[in-house]
């Protein structure tokens, strides 16, 4: 995988000159840079390797006013060449650049002690000792120091050899599955259209690929690729890349936008990070303070919130919630730098823990789980990162794509991790089509909640056999994904914790039962309607001697309907089921010998009054025994209900 070297150091210490001497490329491309003699924007070059390959170099500005550009350039480099002029030694931006490199997680590098032709041997030795002392405790503590002069050429071969050695030995830790490139420059090229440039931090890109400019919705298609000045069909991570994109206007592209494939990143206005306040910071970082936040090539204003303290003292590290005025996109373990609002200086930095965070509020029922998980995340192993993020997501669960971003685990490794956790019932896929996962513990809690809901339903509705899936979903599961409800219910059925009884669900121990007085009421109603036959009594008159209101008898009547003992014809008009069947037979027999039947014919045939005849005919229409044509009825089909 390609390696990228970056420069760092104080203004006018010879970074750009040294790069030009090593590569033959002048990184000062702006007219203003040439006039002022300092680097303002990022510069890019490539170093010819002994094996014929090329290694990218990012030359960053040293002037304190342009440190934000330095941060943009330092993101994505694998090792640093810290440039210190022998005639001046360690200067303010030397310190700040080293701190920024450390905050961005750059693991290694070396020191180029430039302008050696301007000092004598004794002074050079003193400067070298001073530089060694300055590097104590930093990631460059044991790094080699190479005296060099771009003017005389002294030491250049040694520096070249060391760069080639580092390129050969370093194994960059970049993801191969997720294409991502922060945009640091965009322009229009005549005959080609919009071109964007940047250092690809992960993944790869091919001509013809669809891309999106995050956090916006602008989409485009890769028309052409260039890397180190040559056209290529495919660009890998770690290389400076120029991308010609069709379907996008240059005015739509902004420095700091992130180019990635559609549906792979998730814009959010809140991040959770592990933040360190530099020991050199002149003051603590206070809660709710406004700062300059640097991530990739983007620099935005943001506010810091500390859930467990009022301020973060110099040298301390804590979990911090960062709130942005506009959405940002990132991947777990991304590095960021914090600079004070005024005066501008680097005061801290850290590592991204959650790139699509929910704002921490103590009234949130999952607050403790989220807070405890965030504290575990910085040192968590891959499997544990999956487990912790699923715990924070609670009943919402997470898609496979989001887990890839939230855990910073490559696709194949994440699949293995999920299979392992699935075997332990710690992570379960409840939606195979969308690849949605939920924590096993959360699923257990939901299962218990579902059973409690059904138990309460049985207690409140003892005479109902159970409840439908739709009732369960719209009641207990109204805030859950329908697919999660289905998955959970099927698991409970398979475990025999829920029984399917016809069209309803019930708990295994539930049996329809009536209290003694309700059973007595049932018998009284049944006897009255059996006696009434095809001219049933008025329900109110049956209940009145018992001192029972109609609404109080409704549950008993519903149960009798479910058992097939009674049939509700209309409102409070009920029929004993055998009596209604008798009327049905009369209607069928009459219509088998006649073309149609009206209310009058039914009254004559069955000996019924109008108050029974009309509701009965309407009932037979509803159950599709008959169909109405004008005021008459005819048998529908075979005449069977």
């Amino acid at each position: 995988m390609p390696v990228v070297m970056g420069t760092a150091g104080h203004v006018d210490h010879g970074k750009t000159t040294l790069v030009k001497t090593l590569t033959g490329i002048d990184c000062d491309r702006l007219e203003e840079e040439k006039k002022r003699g300092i680097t303002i924007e990022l510069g890019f070059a490539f170093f010819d390797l002994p094996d014929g390959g090329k290694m990218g170099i990012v030359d960053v500005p040293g002037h304190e006013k342009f440190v934000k550009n330095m941060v943009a350039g330092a993101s994505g480099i694998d090792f640093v060449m810290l440039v210190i002029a022998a005639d001046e030694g360690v200067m303010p931006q030397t310190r700040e650049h080293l701190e920024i490199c450390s905050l961005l997680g750059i693991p290694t590098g070396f020191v180029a002690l430039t302008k050696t032709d301007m000092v004598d041997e004794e002074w050079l030795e003193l400067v070298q000792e001073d530089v060694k002392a300055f590097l104590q405790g930093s990631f460059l503590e044991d790094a080699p120091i190479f005296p060099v002069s771009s003017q005389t050429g002294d030491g250049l071969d040694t520096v070249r050899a060391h760069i080639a050695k580092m390129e050969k030995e370093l194994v960059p830790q970049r993801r191969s599955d997720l294409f991502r490139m922060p945009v640091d420059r965009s322009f229009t090229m005549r005959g080609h259209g919009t071109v964007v440039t940047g250092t690809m931090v992960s993944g790869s890109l091919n001509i013809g690929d669809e891309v999106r400019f995050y956090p916006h919705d602008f989409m485009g298609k890769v028309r052409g690729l260039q890397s180190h000045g040559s056209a290529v069909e495919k660009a890998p991570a770690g290389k400076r890349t120029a991308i010609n994109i069709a379907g996008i206007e240059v005015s739509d592209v902004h420095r700091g936008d992130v180019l990635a494939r559609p549906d792979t990143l998730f814009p959010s206005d809140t991040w959770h990070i592990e933040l360190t306040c530099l020991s050199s910071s002149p003051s603590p970082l206070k809660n709710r303070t406004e700062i300059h936040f640097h991530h990739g090539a983007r620099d935005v204003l943001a506010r810091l919130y500390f859930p467990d303290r009022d301020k973060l003292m110099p040298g301390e590290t804590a979990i911090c919630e960062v709130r942005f005025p506009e959405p940002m996109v990132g991947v777990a373990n991304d590095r960021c730098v914090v600079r004070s609002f005024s005066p501008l200086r680097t005061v801290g930095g850290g590592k991204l823990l959650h790139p699509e965070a929910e704002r921490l509020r103590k009234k949130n029922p999952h607050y403790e789980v989220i807070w405890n998980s965030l504290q575990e995340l910085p040192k968590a192993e891959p499997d544990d990162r999956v487990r912790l993020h699923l715990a924070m997501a609670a009943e919402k669960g997470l898609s496979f794509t989001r887990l890839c971003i939230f855990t910073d685990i490559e696709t194949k490794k994440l699949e293995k991790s999920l299979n392992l956790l699935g075997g332990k019932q710690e992570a379960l896929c409840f939606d195979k089509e969308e690849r949605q996962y939920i924590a096993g513990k959360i699923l257990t809690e939901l299962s218990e909640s579902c059973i409690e809901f059904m138990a309460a339903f049985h207690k409140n509705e003892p005479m109902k056999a159970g409840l439908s899936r739709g009732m369960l979903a719209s009641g207990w599961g109204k805030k859950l994904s329908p697919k999660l409800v289905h998955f959970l219910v099927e698991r409970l059925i398979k475990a025999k914790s829920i029984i399917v009884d016809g069209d309803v669900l019930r708990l295994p121990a539930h049996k329809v039962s009536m209290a003694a007085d309700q059973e007595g009421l049932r018998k009284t109603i049944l006897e009255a309607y059996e006696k009434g036959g095809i001219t049933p009594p008025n329900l109110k008159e049956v209940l009145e001697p018992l001192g029972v209101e109609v609404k109080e008898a409704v549950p008993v009547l519903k149960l009798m309907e479910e058992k097939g003992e009674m049939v509700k014809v209309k409102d409070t008009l009920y029929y004993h089921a055998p009596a209604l069947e008798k009327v049905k037979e009369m209607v069928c027999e009459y219509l088998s010998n006649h073309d149609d039947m009206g209310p009058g014919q039914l009254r004559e045939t069955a000996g019924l009054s109008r108050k029974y005849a009309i509701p009965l005919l309407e009932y037979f229409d509803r159950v599709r025994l008959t169909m109405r044509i004008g005021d008459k009825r005819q048998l529908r089909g075979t005449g069977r209900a």
Side-chain angles (χ1 to χ4, degrees):
M1 188 172 284
V3 174
V4 178
M5 182 185 83
T7 67
H10 193 75
V11 63
D12 203 28
H13 272 208
K15 296 186 298 298
T16 303
T17 302
L18 179 56
V19 169
K20 183 178 179 181
T21 305
L22 291 169
T23 66
I25 299 171
D26 186 356
C27 291
D28 280 347
R29 58 182 174 80
L30 299 179
E31 190 64 31
E32 185 182 355
E33 291 178 328
K34 296 184 183 298
K35 285 180 181 178
R36 296 172 65 176
I38 60 172
T39 299
I40 298 171
E41 271 285 1
L42 295 171
F44 307 101
F46 54 85
F47 180 82
D48 290 317
L49 297 166
D51 61 4
K54 297 180 185 296
M55 185 194 72
I57 297 177
V58 180
D59 182 34
V60 303
H63 196 284
E64 69 89 14
K65 290 184 179 180
F66 310 118
V67 169
K68 69 175 183 179
N69 292 339
M70 183 270 162
V71 175
S75 299
I77 71 173
D78 300 299
F79 71 98
V80 64
M81 177 172 70
L82 181 63
V83 177
I84 302 174
D87 60 336
E88 288 191 331
V90 175
M91 297 292 283
Q93 265 63 62
T94 312
R95 297 180 184 278
E96 188 166 18
H97 279 209
L98 183 65
E99 289 175 335
I100 290 171
C101 289
S102 177
L103 292 170
L104 291 174
I106 296 171
T108 188
F110 68 95
V111 177
L113 199 58
T114 58
K115 302 187 180 182
T116 55
D117 57 291
M118 299 177 66
V119 299
D120 57 31
E121 286 294 327
E122 185 178 353
W123 180 263
L124 185 60
E125 288 180 10
L126 289 173
V127 172
Q128 284 182 289
E129 289 302 316
D130 184 52
V131 170
K132 286 179 182 178
F134 162 66
L135 295 176
Q136 287 296 312
S138 76
F139 72 98
L140 292 180
E141 182 174 7
D142 298 320
I145 301 172
F146 299 110
V148 63
S149 171
S150 298
Q151 301 302 318
T152 66
D154 288 345
L156 285 175
D157 288 342
T158 304
V159 171
R160 286 193 184 98
H162 187 72
I163 291 173
K165 178 174 179 287
M166 293 197 74
E167 189 278 336
K168 188 175 182 179
E169 293 177 350
L170 279 176
V171 180
Q173 299 299 311
R174 293 193 181 95
R175 292 179 60 162
S176 61
D177 62 330
L178 175 69
F179 162 65
R180 194 165 51 127
M181 187 187 85
V183 175
D184 52 42
R185 195 157 66 100
S186 61
F187 53 90
T188 301
M189 198 170 175
R190 183 175 296 178
H192 294 275
T194 300
V195 176
V196 298
T197 66
T199 301
M200 288 173 54
V201 295
S202 63
S204 60
L205 194 64
N206 299 280
I207 291 176
D209 284 350
E210 297 285 341
V211 290
R212 173 181 167 183
F213 286 85
Y214 291 88
H216 317 292
D217 291 327
F218 304 130
M219 309 285 280
K221 192 171 185 178
V222 178
R223 179 185 287 167
L225 292 167
Q226 275 200 2
S227 185
H228 298 322
S230 301
V232 294
E233 290 293 318
K234 180 177 182 178
K239 285 199 173 184
R240 285 293 306 171
T241 307
I243 307 172
N244 179 208
I245 300 180
I248 192 81
E249 297 295 328
V250 72
S251 58
D252 293 329
V253 183
H254 305 87
R255 182 193 181 103
D257 288 350
V258 178
L259 196 63
R261 289 188 174 84
D263 304 317
T264 57
L265 297 177
F266 305 97
S268 173
D269 64 2
T270 304
W271 283 2
H272 289 147
I273 68 172
E274 182 188 44
L275 180 65
T276 297
C277 182
L278 289 173
S279 298
S280 62
S281 175
S283 59
L285 290 170
K286 295 181 180 178
N287 192 39
R288 300 177 62 88
T289 191
E290 189 173 30
I291 48 86
H292 289 269
F293 190 89
H294 298 265
H295 172 258
R298 200 161 186 202
D299 166 24
V300 297
L301 290 176
R303 285 193 183 275
L304 306 179
Y305 292 82
F306 299 103
D308 63 342
R309 64 193 69 204
D310 294 325
K311 55 188 174 183
L312 186 66
M313 300 301 293
E316 289 185 342
T317 299
I319 303 299
C320 177
E321 181 171 291
V322 188
R323 298 180 187 175
F324 306 108
E326 55 192 50
M328 298 272 284
V329 289
V331 176
N333 292 326
D334 279 359
R335 297 286 180 154
C336 57
V337 171
V338 169
R339 305 191 79 214
S340 56
F341 184 77
S342 181
L344 272 173
R345 65 160 292 161
T346 303
V347 290
K351 182 169 68 172
L352 178 54
L353 301 178
H354 200 319
E356 195 184 27
E358 183 177 350
R359 291 189 178 182
L360 284 169
R361 292 185 173 90
K362 291 190 176 180
K363 63 181 181 180
N364 184 333
H366 301 294
Y367 175 84
E368 290 297 330
V369 171
I370 294 172
W371 177 239
N372 291 335
S373 297
L374 285 172
Q375 292 182 89
E376 289 185 52
L377 269 175
K379 296 181 180 179
E381 295 296 321
D383 288 351
D384 288 330
R385 293 205 296 270
V386 175
R387 179 178 56 78
L388 291 168
H389 273 287
L390 286 175
M392 287 192 284
E395 66 273 5
K396 291 180 291 188
L398 289 173
S399 67
F400 184 87
T401 306
R402 276 186 161 82
L403 280 169
C404 280
I405 302 304
F406 294 1
T407 62
D408 190 29
I409 302 175
E410 287 202 355
T411 305
K412 291 182 180 179
K413 291 181 180 179
L414 180 58
E415 286 174 346
K416 290 181 181 179
S417 182
L418 285 167
N419 287 334
L420 179 66
L421 292 171
K424 298 178 182 178
Q425 296 294 295
E426 292 181 353
L428 297 150
C429 181
F430 66 86
D431 183 351
K432 291 185 178 180
E433 185 178 343
E434 298 295 330
R435 300 185 80 181
Q436 290 280 130
Y437 290 83
I438 190 169
K441 184 179 179 182
I442 298 296
L443 194 65
T444 299
E445 292 172 356
L446 288 173
S447 299
E448 292 171 353
S449 170
C450 179
I451 289 172
E452 287 174 6
F453 179 88
M454 291 186 67
F457 177 85
H458 289 325
K459 183 177 180 180
N460 294 330
E461 301 284 355
M463 290 180 293
K464 287 190 175 180
L467 70 166
S468 68
R469 290 174 185 263
M471 289 176 63
L472 183 64
S474 61
W476 168 77
K478 62 183 177 181
K479 293 183 179 180
L480 301 177
S481 157
K483 289 189 177 181
L484 176 57
V485 173
H486 176 77
F487 176 78
L488 185 144
V489 169
E490 290 302 313
R491 277 176 61 89
L492 290 173
I493 291 171
K494 188 175 181 180
K496 297 184 179 180
S497 298
I498 290 179
I499 304 298
V500 180
D501 198 350
D503 294 332
V504 299
L505 304 172
R506 64 174 176 84
L507 297 181
H510 176 67
K511 292 182 180 179
V512 176
S513 62
M514 293 194 213
D517 56 340
Q518 291 176 324
E519 180 60 27
L521 178 59
R522 172 187 163 275
K523 288 182 178 179
T524 300
I525 292 173
L526 198 57
E527 288 174 3
Y529 279 82
E530 282 179 343
K531 187 177 179 180
I534 64 172
T535 55
N538 181 285
L539 180 60
K540 190 175 181 181
E541 292 175 356
V542 174
L543 299 175
E544 193 171 6
L546 304 174
V548 177
E549 296 288 335
V550 172
K551 63 181 180 180
E552 295 176 299
V554 168
V556 178
L557 287 162
K558 282 186 177 179
L559 180 62
M560 294 174 77
E561 285 184 77
E562 290 172 5
K563 287 187 172 184
E565 295 175 335
M566 299 285 288
V567 178
K568 184 178 181 179
V569 173
K570 183 180 180 182
D571 297 331
T572 58
L573 177 58
Y574 287 83
Y575 260 80
H576 185 223
L580 184 63
E581 186 64 27
K582 185 177 179 181
V583 177
K584 176 183 173 183
E585 290 172 0
M586 292 180 186
V587 171
C588 290
E589 184 179 353
Y590 182 89
L591 287 174
S592 65
N593 298 311
H594 299 81
D595 292 335
D596 51 41
M597 170 185 271
Q601 285 78 37
L602 180 56
R603 290 201 305 272
E604 292 174 7
T605 301
L608 297 171
S609 66
R610 182 179 177 83
K611 79 171 184 177
Y612 296 114
I614 292 178
L616 281 167
L617 287 174
E618 291 174 348
Y619 169 78
F620 290 139
D621 290 342
R622 286 199 307 276
V623 297
R624 303 181 68 79
L625 174 69
T626 59
M627 58 181 177
R628 182 172 179 172
I629 301 175
D631 292 332
K632 302 290 186 177
R633 266 76 176 179
Q634 292 181 355
L635 280 179
R636 185 187 295 270
T638 61
R640 295 176 182 174

